[in-house]
Amino acid sequence: MKKILEVNNLSVSFKSHNGEVQAVRDVSFDLHEQETLAIVGESGSGKSVTVQSIMRLIAMPPGEIKSGSVLLNGEDLVKKTEKEMEQIRGNEMGMIFQDPMTSLNPTMKIGRQITEGLIKHQNLSKKVAHEKGVELLRLVGIPNPETRINQYPHEFSGGMRQRAMIAIALSCNPKILIADEPTTALDVTIQAQILNLLKDLQVQTNTAIILITHDLGVVANAAHRVAVMYGGKVVEKGTVDEIFYQPKHPYTWGLLGSMPKLNDDTEELQSIPGTPPDLKDPPKGCPFAARCPYAMKVCDQHMPAYTESSSTQKTACWLLDERAPKVKPPESIFAGGGQING
């Protein structure tokens, strides 16, 4: 499939009273047409800052894109003016935010929030935009859209508000849809409905999706490829099958080990000991070294380069160096068994 987005060596920092926070450090990934790429990791790993930087939504100052490029169909968004980005947002890229109740304007009817993008970007009349707004609400599964379009956000349930956010994001037929934790505030049943809706809409609209989440269960059901972030860096990336069945990075092992399992009778979930690094003073070496039970001296001193396990899987870990000791991943998370470097 055609590559439509390419993020190269993106670094983003924020100035604070206590120093510069290096929130995103040298991040690279790409996105293809009709593909869903999941970016996963703990809170504070840099997921949301990465996608907000792609959309140029971080406040500057205190935020700043220090280096790197974001190529959308070959054009670098980092070099675009704010006026140019206003045309790209909505037309080329849409975003679904984490909490629809705080993202939707409580003083505006749902219909106006959907149609203002149609009027601005596609130069539609109010009447035609209203008709398309009704179609969009119907598309995302909201019953009685002719009535609902004239209601306020507080008159919608949580799941319906998220559907309305999706309708707004899709209103101008963007090529890329960014979903930042789209199911966090919803109960399990509604989460499944929203994820199924996104998959159905992707087929109908040929939209590529970047899905931000900390829930690996969501990833398993929704994504084609996965990028695992930790400490502002992508530590591993690969297909869903590679990340779930052949993970190579100890942090990925920890994430998989913390997932609840239906065949596990123990009541206590596994956790990763320790805390994420302070990105005001990030470690020189692997960001996960301080929490990694397999860390070696070199892990603290030098950042590992990516090792390619396949054409689609890359992992930044010193354990994959041919000189490293052989280490077995925990059997509870590694379906194939065997050693990771040999």
Side-chain angles (χ1 to χ4, degrees), residues 269-293:
L269 291 175
Q270 296 181 37
S271 62
I272 304 174
T275 57
D278 181 359
L279 295 181
K280 293 191 296 293
D281 184 23
K284 294 179 180 178
C286 172
F288 189 59
R291 303 173 73 184
C292 181

PDB file of all heavy atoms in Angstrom, residues 269-293:
ATOM      1  N   LEU A 269      -2.553  -8.925  39.112  1.00  0.00           N
ATOM      2  CA  LEU A 269      -1.936  -8.686  37.809  1.00  0.00           C
ATOM      3  C   LEU A 269      -0.457  -8.381  37.993  1.00  0.00           C
ATOM      4  O   LEU A 269      -0.034  -7.811  38.998  1.00  0.00           O
ATOM      5  CB  LEU A 269      -2.611  -7.504  37.105  1.00  0.00           C
ATOM      6  CG  LEU A 269      -4.050  -7.716  36.633  1.00  0.00           C
ATOM      7  CD1 LEU A 269      -4.602  -6.418  36.064  1.00  0.00           C
ATOM      8  CD2 LEU A 269      -4.126  -8.823  35.602  1.00  0.00           C
ATOM      9  N   GLN A 270       0.335  -8.746  36.991  1.00  0.00           N
ATOM     10  CA  GLN A 270       1.750  -8.396  37.010  1.00  0.00           C
ATOM     11  C   GLN A 270       1.903  -6.894  36.771  1.00  0.00           C
ATOM     12  O   GLN A 270       1.064  -6.261  36.140  1.00  0.00           O
ATOM     13  CB  GLN A 270       2.496  -9.161  35.915  1.00  0.00           C
ATOM     14  CG  GLN A 270       2.503 -10.667  36.095  1.00  0.00           C
ATOM     15  CD  GLN A 270       3.281 -11.348  34.993  1.00  0.00           C
ATOM     16  OE1 GLN A 270       4.297 -10.852  34.515  1.00  0.00           O
ATOM     17  NE2 GLN A 270       2.794 -12.502  34.567  1.00  0.00           N
ATOM     18  N   SER A 271       2.984  -6.342  37.274  1.00  0.00           N
ATOM     19  CA  SER A 271       3.280  -4.927  37.046  1.00  0.00           C
ATOM     20  C   SER A 271       4.762  -4.774  36.757  1.00  0.00           C
ATOM     21  O   SER A 271       5.558  -5.684  37.014  1.00  0.00           O
ATOM     22  CB  SER A 271       2.889  -4.081  38.260  1.00  0.00           C
ATOM     23  OG  SER A 271       3.647  -4.480  39.401  1.00  0.00           O
ATOM     24  N   ILE A 272       5.127  -3.628  36.210  1.00  0.00           N
ATOM     25  CA  ILE A 272       6.536  -3.332  35.931  1.00  0.00           C
ATOM     26  C   ILE A 272       7.061  -2.496  37.091  1.00  0.00           C
ATOM     27  O   ILE A 272       6.592  -1.371  37.309  1.00  0.00           O
ATOM     28  CB  ILE A 272       6.683  -2.558  34.611  1.00  0.00           C
ATOM     29  CG1 ILE A 272       6.048  -3.335  33.454  1.00  0.00           C
ATOM     30  CG2 ILE A 272       8.146  -2.278  34.311  1.00  0.00           C
ATOM     31  CD1 ILE A 272       6.021  -2.566  32.144  1.00  0.00           C
ATOM     32  N   PRO A 273       8.000  -3.025  37.874  1.00  0.00           N
ATOM     33  CA  PRO A 273       8.518  -2.266  39.016  1.00  0.00           C
ATOM     34  C   PRO A 273       9.178  -0.964  38.572  1.00  0.00           C
ATOM     35  O   PRO A 273       9.670  -0.848  37.449  1.00  0.00           O
ATOM     36  CB  PRO A 273       9.548  -3.215  39.643  1.00  0.00           C
ATOM     37  CG  PRO A 273       9.213  -4.573  39.106  1.00  0.00           C
ATOM     38  CD  PRO A 273       8.647  -4.346  37.745  1.00  0.00           C
ATOM     39  N   GLY A 274       9.184   0.027  39.468  1.00  0.00           N
ATOM     40  CA  GLY A 274       9.871   1.277  39.184  1.00  0.00           C
ATOM     41  C   GLY A 274       8.971   2.302  38.522  1.00  0.00           C
ATOM     42  O   GLY A 274       7.763   2.105  38.371  1.00  0.00           O
ATOM     43  N   THR A 275       9.566   3.417  38.124  1.00  0.00           N
ATOM     44  CA  THR A 275       8.830   4.523  37.506  1.00  0.00           C
ATOM     45  C   THR A 275       9.519   4.956  36.218  1.00  0.00           C
ATOM     46  O   THR A 275      10.725   4.719  36.039  1.00  0.00           O
ATOM     47  CB  THR A 275       8.752   5.732  38.459  1.00  0.00           C
ATOM     48  OG1 THR A 275      10.088   6.129  38.825  1.00  0.00           O
ATOM     49  CG2 THR A 275       7.966   5.388  39.705  1.00  0.00           C
ATOM     50  N   PRO A 276       8.787   5.595  35.308  1.00  0.00           N
ATOM     51  CA  PRO A 276       9.392   6.071  34.056  1.00  0.00           C
ATOM     52  C   PRO A 276      10.484   7.098  34.318  1.00  0.00           C
ATOM     53  O   PRO A 276      10.515   7.731  35.380  1.00  0.00           O
ATOM     54  CB  PRO A 276       8.202   6.697  33.312  1.00  0.00           C
ATOM     55  CG  PRO A 276       6.998   6.042  33.901  1.00  0.00           C
ATOM     56  CD  PRO A 276       7.335   5.790  35.339  1.00  0.00           C
ATOM     57  N   PRO A 277      11.384   7.300  33.366  1.00  0.00           N
ATOM     58  CA  PRO A 277      12.495   8.237  33.563  1.00  0.00           C
ATOM     59  C   PRO A 277      12.027   9.684  33.595  1.00  0.00           C
ATOM     60  O   PRO A 277      10.990  10.035  33.031  1.00  0.00           O
ATOM     61  CB  PRO A 277      13.387   7.973  32.345  1.00  0.00           C
ATOM     62  CG  PRO A 277      12.463   7.454  31.297  1.00  0.00           C
ATOM     63  CD  PRO A 277      11.440   6.653  32.041  1.00  0.00           C
ATOM     64  N   ASP A 278      12.823  10.530  34.256  1.00  0.00           N
ATOM     65  CA  ASP A 278      12.582  11.966  34.282  1.00  0.00           C
ATOM     66  C   ASP A 278      13.094  12.549  32.971  1.00  0.00           C
ATOM     67  O   ASP A 278      14.309  12.563  32.718  1.00  0.00           O
ATOM     68  CB  ASP A 278      13.311  12.591  35.479  1.00  0.00           C
ATOM     69  CG  ASP A 278      13.079  14.084  35.587  1.00  0.00           C
ATOM     70  OD1 ASP A 278      12.364  14.645  34.726  1.00  0.00           O
ATOM     71  OD2 ASP A 278      13.623  14.713  36.519  1.00  0.00           O
ATOM     72  N   LEU A 279      12.196  13.027  32.128  1.00  0.00           N
ATOM     73  CA  LEU A 279      12.605  13.500  30.811  1.00  0.00           C
ATOM     74  C   LEU A 279      13.165  14.916  30.828  1.00  0.00           C
ATOM     75  O   LEU A 279      13.518  15.450  29.777  1.00  0.00           O
ATOM     76  CB  LEU A 279      11.440  13.387  29.828  1.00  0.00           C
ATOM     77  CG  LEU A 279      10.996  11.941  29.548  1.00  0.00           C
ATOM     78  CD1 LEU A 279       9.860  11.906  28.542  1.00  0.00           C
ATOM     79  CD2 LEU A 279      12.178  11.103  29.050  1.00  0.00           C
ATOM     80  N   LYS A 280      13.283  15.520  32.017  1.00  0.00           N
ATOM     81  CA  LYS A 280      14.082  16.748  32.134  1.00  0.00           C
ATOM     82  C   LYS A 280      15.564  16.398  32.126  1.00  0.00           C
ATOM     83  O   LYS A 280      16.404  17.227  31.777  1.00  0.00           O
ATOM     84  CB  LYS A 280      13.717  17.511  33.410  1.00  0.00           C
ATOM     85  CG  LYS A 280      12.310  18.090  33.407  1.00  0.00           C
ATOM     86  CD  LYS A 280      12.079  19.044  34.545  1.00  0.00           C
ATOM     87  CE  LYS A 280      12.160  18.357  35.896  1.00  0.00           C
ATOM     88  NZ  LYS A 280      11.055  17.396  36.098  1.00  0.00           N
ATOM     89  N   ASP A 281      15.868  15.181  32.526  1.00  0.00           N
ATOM     90  CA  ASP A 281      17.247  14.687  32.494  1.00  0.00           C
ATOM     91  C   ASP A 281      17.208  13.236  32.030  1.00  0.00           C
ATOM     92  O   ASP A 281      17.428  12.307  32.817  1.00  0.00           O
ATOM     93  CB  ASP A 281      17.876  14.798  33.887  1.00  0.00           C
ATOM     94  CG  ASP A 281      19.345  14.383  33.897  1.00  0.00           C
ATOM     95  OD1 ASP A 281      19.989  14.433  32.819  1.00  0.00           O
ATOM     96  OD2 ASP A 281      19.836  13.984  34.973  1.00  0.00           O
ATOM     97  N   PRO A 282      16.910  13.003  30.752  1.00  0.00           N
ATOM     98  CA  PRO A 282      16.727  11.633  30.261  1.00  0.00           C
ATOM     99  C   PRO A 282      18.014  10.821  30.319  1.00  0.00           C
ATOM    100  O   PRO A 282      19.122  11.381  30.255  1.00  0.00           O
ATOM    101  CB  PRO A 282      16.274  11.839  28.809  1.00  0.00           C
ATOM    102  CG  PRO A 282      16.769  13.188  28.429  1.00  0.00           C
ATOM    103  CD  PRO A 282      16.748  14.009  29.680  1.00  0.00           C
ATOM    104  N   PRO A 283      17.900   9.526  30.479  1.00  0.00           N
ATOM    105  CA  PRO A 283      19.093   8.676  30.549  1.00  0.00           C
ATOM    106  C   PRO A 283      19.884   8.708  29.248  1.00  0.00           C
ATOM    107  O   PRO A 283      19.336   8.891  28.165  1.00  0.00           O
ATOM    108  CB  PRO A 283      18.515   7.284  30.824  1.00  0.00           C
ATOM    109  CG  PRO A 283      17.089   7.347  30.383  1.00  0.00           C
ATOM    110  CD  PRO A 283      16.646   8.747  30.594  1.00  0.00           C
ATOM    111  N   LYS A 284      21.201   8.513  29.380  1.00  0.00           N
ATOM    112  CA  LYS A 284      22.063   8.483  28.196  1.00  0.00           C
ATOM    113  C   LYS A 284      21.836   7.222  27.378  1.00  0.00           C
ATOM    114  O   LYS A 284      21.950   7.231  26.163  1.00  0.00           O
ATOM    115  CB  LYS A 284      23.534   8.560  28.625  1.00  0.00           C
ATOM    116  CG  LYS A 284      23.937   9.859  29.280  1.00  0.00           C
ATOM    117  CD  LYS A 284      25.408   9.830  29.679  1.00  0.00           C
ATOM    118  CE  LYS A 284      25.821  11.131  30.352  1.00  0.00           C
ATOM    119  NZ  LYS A 284      27.250  11.088  30.782  1.00  0.00           N
ATOM    120  N   GLY A 285      21.553   6.135  28.069  1.00  0.00           N
ATOM    121  CA  GLY A 285      21.390   4.860  27.388  1.00  0.00           C
ATOM    122  C   GLY A 285      19.942   4.521  27.142  1.00  0.00           C
ATOM    123  O   GLY A 285      19.112   5.397  26.880  1.00  0.00           O
ATOM    124  N   CYS A 286      19.611   3.249  27.237  1.00  0.00           N
ATOM    125  CA  CYS A 286      18.235   2.786  27.019  1.00  0.00           C
ATOM    126  C   CYS A 286      17.323   3.389  28.084  1.00  0.00           C
ATOM    127  O   CYS A 286      17.628   3.313  29.281  1.00  0.00           O
ATOM    128  CB  CYS A 286      18.192   1.254  27.094  1.00  0.00           C
ATOM    129  SG  CYS A 286      16.501   0.585  27.055  1.00  0.00           S
ATOM    130  N   PRO A 287      16.208   3.989  27.699  1.00  0.00           N
ATOM    131  CA  PRO A 287      15.334   4.624  28.699  1.00  0.00           C
ATOM    132  C   PRO A 287      14.727   3.638  29.690  1.00  0.00           C
ATOM    133  O   PRO A 287      14.335   4.018  30.787  1.00  0.00           O
ATOM    134  CB  PRO A 287      14.247   5.283  27.836  1.00  0.00           C
ATOM    135  CG  PRO A 287      14.267   4.545  26.543  1.00  0.00           C
ATOM    136  CD  PRO A 287      15.697   4.142  26.329  1.00  0.00           C
ATOM    137  N   PHE A 288      14.680   2.354  29.324  1.00  0.00           N
ATOM    138  CA  PHE A 288      14.061   1.349  30.184  1.00  0.00           C
ATOM    139  C   PHE A 288      15.078   0.656  31.100  1.00  0.00           C
ATOM    140  O   PHE A 288      14.684  -0.161  31.929  1.00  0.00           O
ATOM    141  CB  PHE A 288      13.354   0.302  29.310  1.00  0.00           C
ATOM    142  CG  PHE A 288      12.496  -0.664  30.086  1.00  0.00           C
ATOM    143  CD1 PHE A 288      11.437  -0.222  30.870  1.00  0.00           C
ATOM    144  CD2 PHE A 288      12.736  -2.025  30.031  1.00  0.00           C
ATOM    145  CE1 PHE A 288      10.647  -1.109  31.581  1.00  0.00           C
ATOM    146  CE2 PHE A 288      11.948  -2.931  30.736  1.00  0.00           C
ATOM    147  CZ  PHE A 288      10.901  -2.468  31.514  1.00  0.00           C
ATOM    148  N   ALA A 289      16.340   0.998  30.981  1.00  0.00           N
ATOM    149  CA  ALA A 289      17.402   0.272  31.693  1.00  0.00           C
ATOM    150  C   ALA A 289      17.173   0.220  33.199  1.00  0.00           C
ATOM    151  O   ALA A 289      17.392  -0.825  33.837  1.00  0.00           O
ATOM    152  CB  ALA A 289      18.758   0.894  31.376  1.00  0.00           C
ATOM    153  N   ALA A 290      16.744   1.323  33.812  1.00  0.00           N
ATOM    154  CA  ALA A 290      16.589   1.378  35.270  1.00  0.00           C
ATOM    155  C   ALA A 290      15.514   0.422  35.774  1.00  0.00           C
ATOM    156  O   ALA A 290      15.529   0.016  36.939  1.00  0.00           O
ATOM    157  CB  ALA A 290      16.267   2.810  35.702  1.00  0.00           C
ATOM    158  N   ARG A 291      14.566   0.025  34.919  1.00  0.00           N
ATOM    159  CA  ARG A 291      13.475  -0.866  35.327  1.00  0.00           C
ATOM    160  C   ARG A 291      13.625  -2.268  34.746  1.00  0.00           C
ATOM    161  O   ARG A 291      12.778  -3.133  35.006  1.00  0.00           O
ATOM    162  CB  ARG A 291      12.132  -0.268  34.891  1.00  0.00           C
ATOM    163  CG  ARG A 291      11.872   1.111  35.432  1.00  0.00           C
ATOM    164  CD  ARG A 291      10.604   1.727  34.827  1.00  0.00           C
ATOM    165  NE  ARG A 291       9.392   1.124  35.349  1.00  0.00           N
ATOM    166  CZ  ARG A 291       8.175   1.437  34.927  1.00  0.00           C
ATOM    167  NH1 ARG A 291       8.023   2.333  33.973  1.00  0.00           N
ATOM    168  NH2 ARG A 291       7.115   0.845  35.446  1.00  0.00           N
ATOM    169  N   CYS A 292      14.649  -2.473  33.943  1.00  0.00           N
ATOM    170  CA  CYS A 292      14.789  -3.728  33.216  1.00  0.00           C
ATOM    171  C   CYS A 292      15.556  -4.763  34.041  1.00  0.00           C
ATOM    172  O   CYS A 292      16.699  -4.514  34.449  1.00  0.00           O
ATOM    173  CB  CYS A 292      15.503  -3.482  31.892  1.00  0.00           C
ATOM    174  SG  CYS A 292      15.711  -4.976  30.893  1.00  0.00           S
ATOM    175  N   PRO A 293      14.982  -5.941  34.280  1.00  0.00           N
ATOM    176  CA  PRO A 293      15.678  -6.975  35.054  1.00  0.00           C
ATOM    177  C   PRO A 293      16.856  -7.585  34.292  1.00  0.00           C
ATOM    178  O   PRO A 293      17.666  -8.285  34.885  1.00  0.00           O
ATOM    179  CB  PRO A 293      14.587  -8.019  35.321  1.00  0.00           C
ATOM    180  CG  PRO A 293      13.605  -7.837  34.221  1.00  0.00           C
ATOM    181  CD  PRO A 293      13.621  -6.377  33.897  1.00  0.00           C
TER     182      PRO A 293
END
